[in-house]
Amino acid sequence: TAYTDLMAGNLDLVDDVPAQQLKNVRSDLGDRYLNTPAGIIQTLSFPHYDKEWNKAGSVKVRQGLSRAIDRDQITRTIFQGTRTPATDWTSPVLGAEGGYKAGLCAQWCEYDAAAAKKLIAEGGGLPGGQVKITYNADTGSHKLWVDAVCNSINNALDNDRACVGNPVGTFADFRNQITGKKMSGPFRAGWQMDYPLIQNFLQPLYYTNASSNDGKWSNEEFDRLVDEANAETDPARAVEMFQKAEAVVRDNMAAIPLWYQNGSAGWSDRLSHVALDPFSVPVYNEIKVG
């Protein structure tokens, strides 16, 4: 609706171009469109409180699912290059100083259908024989990418019912189900950084009983490494400890990293000097009108 209003001249600025319009945005707006990296990552989280996702073999099943997702194809075809396949659980905008470590996910984030099949079989198969990815349906672009992820998984496993989308009507209901620990399979998740440091991508999401640990994952080694990192007085040494903690997330595939999200914006010809900060928020004080 906001994008339609922008095109109709009823709105001057949208700070998120919907996926459905990405193929048209360059022809619609020309140089009044911006696509720039932001401190945002999209992931698939798991209900670790569900015994079906927290038993012997579960790690291999999650690793297999990760290898069944063709991130490169999805980011190109669905998101028109406005997402970048994730190779870790943070964001490139952090840089090395902030803790970003390219390729930390290594082969676990690379598409390989044969490896995916093998891992899932070794892990005991998909719980219940099928994965349902839950998402809120009140934002249209979620259905697009969830369907694409499921298609990729189904193709990799040669089973057109191995993965299906599980839409929930509203974001409020979606969040209520998550906080009520009612998830029985993977669900869409994401994180927008509060500050540019690896700590912010790890501690709130994966530390035991942390505020945004929606999957309720818990790991003593991870918690210990985070505690040691927080106790460090040398920032560089602290980042190294956080990177060791991130490796524990990887080794357990606590969540599947999908892609880094770019910030996008479109604006009317009344505006100039539009920019987005690393948090994908418009720099309003720099915008000129008229």
Side-chain angles (χ1 to χ4, degrees):
T1 303
Y3 189 84
T4 302
D5 278 344
L6 175 68
M7 296 305 300
N10 300 322
L11 191 66
D12 281 322
L13 175 67
V14 294
D15 60 1
D16 186 22
V17 176
Q20 298 96 319
Q21 298 296 341
L22 289 172
K23 63 181 180 295
N24 305 317
V25 68
R26 284 293 182 192
S27 58
D28 286 346
L29 298 175
D31 60 3
R32 291 183 287 111
Y33 165 67
L34 182 65
N35 171 37
T36 186
I40 305 172
I41 188 170
Q42 299 292 328
T43 64
L44 284 182
S45 286
F46 291 86
H48 295 279
Y49 47 80
D50 186 321
K51 63 181 181 180
E52 290 297 315
W53 288 101
N54 194 15
K55 63 184 181 182
S58 291
V59 172
K60 283 194 172 183
V61 172
R62 294 193 294 272
Q63 289 172 335
L65 286 171
S66 180
R67 299 220 66 177
I69 299 170
D70 192 339
R71 294 163 178 79
D72 183 63
Q73 183 183 57
I74 293 169
T75 52
R76 282 188 291 106
T77 58
I78 300 296
F79 293 113
Q80 304 294 309
T82 61
R83 308 291 190 273
T84 303
T87 62
D88 87 319
W89 284 258
T90 67
S91 168
V93 302
L94 295 181
E97 187 175 297
Y100 172 65
K101 193 171 184 179
L104 185 74
C105 192
Q107 77 268 28
W108 307 121
C109 288
E110 293 177 7
Y111 178 73
D112 187 320
K117 278 185 187 177
K118 185 172 185 288
L119 284 163
I120 291 171
E122 289 175 352
L126 300 176
Q130 185 181 65
V131 169
K132 294 182 178 179
I133 300 178
T134 302
Y135 64 96
N136 56 299
D138 52 355
T139 300
S141 59
H142 293 323
K143 173 176 169 52
L144 290 175
W145 72 256
V146 168
D147 286 349
V149 165
C150 277
N151 285 338
S152 182
I153 292 171
N154 292 341
N155 290 336
L157 302 184
D158 293 324
N159 179 353
D160 62 6
R161 297 297 294 169
C163 179
V164 295
N166 181 37
V168 174
T170 65
F171 181 69
D173 190 16
F174 176 65
R175 287 301 308 171
N176 285 337
Q177 291 188 31
I178 290 172
T179 56
K181 297 198 292 188
K182 295 179 180 177
M183 292 293 164
S184 58
F187 52 97
R188 81 154 193 93
W191 186 254
Q192 180 172 355
M193 68 180 185
D194 300 299
Y195 49 90
L197 184 64
I198 184 175
Q199 176 197 45
N200 187 238
F201 283 90
L202 298 180
Q203 188 167 341
L205 299 174
Y206 305 111
Y207 195 87
T208 300
N209 295 323
S211 58
S212 296
N213 186 349
D214 289 334
K216 304 305 176 187
W217 184 67
S218 180
N219 182 282
E220 290 183 2
E221 183 183 5
F222 175 84
D223 290 353
R224 177 183 60 79
L225 289 166
V226 167
D227 289 341
E228 290 182 15
N230 286 329
E232 271 290 343
T233 55
D234 177 4
R237 177 63 181 156
V239 164
E240 288 179 10
M241 296 302 294
F242 279 123
Q243 288 174 333
K244 289 182 179 179
E246 187 182 3
V248 177
V249 173
R250 174 200 61 198
D251 294 342
N252 290 271
M253 196 55 74
I256 294 176
L258 295 174
W259 38 76
Y260 311 119
Q261 182 171 328
N262 287 6
S264 61
W267 58 94
S268 74
D269 54 13
R270 295 179 64 243
L271 305 186
S272 62
H273 295 79
V274 177
L276 298 174
D277 66 18
F279 303 89
S280 82
V281 176
V283 185
Y284 291 105
N285 59 300
E286 296 290 332
I287 296 174
K288 297 188 182 299
V289 182

